[in-house]
Amino acid sequence: MQGTVASYDAATRSGVLLLDDGTEMRFPARAFDASGLRLLRLGQRVHIDTDPDGTVVRVTLPTMI
């Protein structure tokens, strides 16, 4: 699944993604930490990995899949 960064708080390492269908999806710090990234920018495209419950477990750049 892919989306766009709608907001990102570097202090908490969490934020909100906007999916292609317009749905907002929050991601926790542990999902950002699992990516190995150092920063996300507003409007940046990302790949989203979720667990069976739909919780975001990793946010990566589409080229890092």
Side-chain angles (χ1 to χ4, degrees):
M1 176 177 0
Q2 290 192 4
T4 304
V5 177
S7 69
Y8 172 69
D9 183 346
T12 64
R13 300 179 328 280
S14 62
V16 177
L17 305 170
L18 185 61
L19 302 182
D20 293 341
D21 67 0
T23 305
E24 289 187 350
M25 179 178 272
R26 297 191 178 282
F27 67 92
R30 70 178 178 272
F32 176 76
D33 294 343
S35 72
L37 298 172
R38 296 185 345 207
L39 178 66
L40 287 174
R41 293 184 314 269
L42 296 181
Q44 188 171 22
R45 291 290 291 173
V46 293
H47 177 80
I48 307 155
D49 292 325
T50 59
D51 65 11
D53 297 334
T55 302
V56 179
V57 294
R58 188 170 71 149
V59 177
T60 59
L61 300 180
T63 56
M64 296 178 67
I65 302 172

